[in-house]
Amino acid sequence: DDSRRLRAAGASEVLIAGARRWALIHDANDISNLAALVPRFADCDFLLIEGLKAGAFPKLEVFRPDLGKPLLCREDPQIVAIATAGPGPFPVPQFDPADIAGIAAFVINWP
C-alpha cells in the first residue's frame, strides 16, 4: 500500500525490499524497446517476460478461449509456441497448459 501511495505522489521508481528479495517498480512511458532492459539481466540464462505482446522477439502464447480474446499465433510470426487446452490445429507447436515439463523443455531447447 505504501508503494502505491508513493507512486501516486509522483515517485517514478519505488524499491520494495525485504530480508530475502527486492523489487524495483519503475514507471515507463514506453517499454517497447526491450533491448534497453535486457542488460539489467546479464546474469540470466534466459529471460521470460510476461504480458509484453508487442515487439520482435520470440513469444509463447497462452490462449484461453473462454476469455473471448483473439488468438494471436496466426497473425504474429514471433509466436513460436502456444499453450492452450483449446482445439487446434495451430501453426506452431501446441502444449497443454498443465504440461509444465514439456513447456519448460521447449523453452530451454528452443534455438
Side-chain angles (χ1 to χ4, degrees), residues 67-92:
L67 295 180
K69 294 185 179 179
L71 181 67
L72 302 175
C73 69
R74 291 192 176 108
E75 304 296 325
D76 185 347
Q78 297 296 327
I79 294 176
V80 297
I82 185 169
T84 184
F90 299 103
V92 294

Side-chain angles (χ1 to χ4, degrees), residues 8-108:
S12 62
E13 287 190 329
V14 176
L15 180 68
I16 302 168
R20 297 180 185 213
R21 64 186 55 94
W22 63 270
L24 177 64
I25 301 170
H26 176 89
D27 287 343
N29 293 331
D30 181 14
I31 60 167
S32 61
N33 186 1
L34 188 62
L37 296 174
V38 172
R40 289 182 166 240
F41 304 95
D43 293 334
C44 295
D45 293 328
F46 67 91
L47 184 58
L48 183 63
I49 302 164
E50 179 184 359
L52 190 60
K53 292 178 181 75
F57 51 88
K59 302 174 198 125
L60 173 88
E61 180 175 6
V62 178
F63 181 67
R64 294 183 43 201
D66 56 311
L67 295 180
K69 294 185 179 179
L71 181 67
L72 302 175
C73 69
R74 291 192 176 108
E75 304 296 325
D76 185 347
Q78 297 296 327
I79 294 176
V80 297
I82 185 169
T84 184
F90 299 103
V92 294
Q94 178 182 358
F95 295 91
D96 184 286
D99 183 10
I100 304 302
I103 294 169
F106 179 83
V107 169
I108 291 169

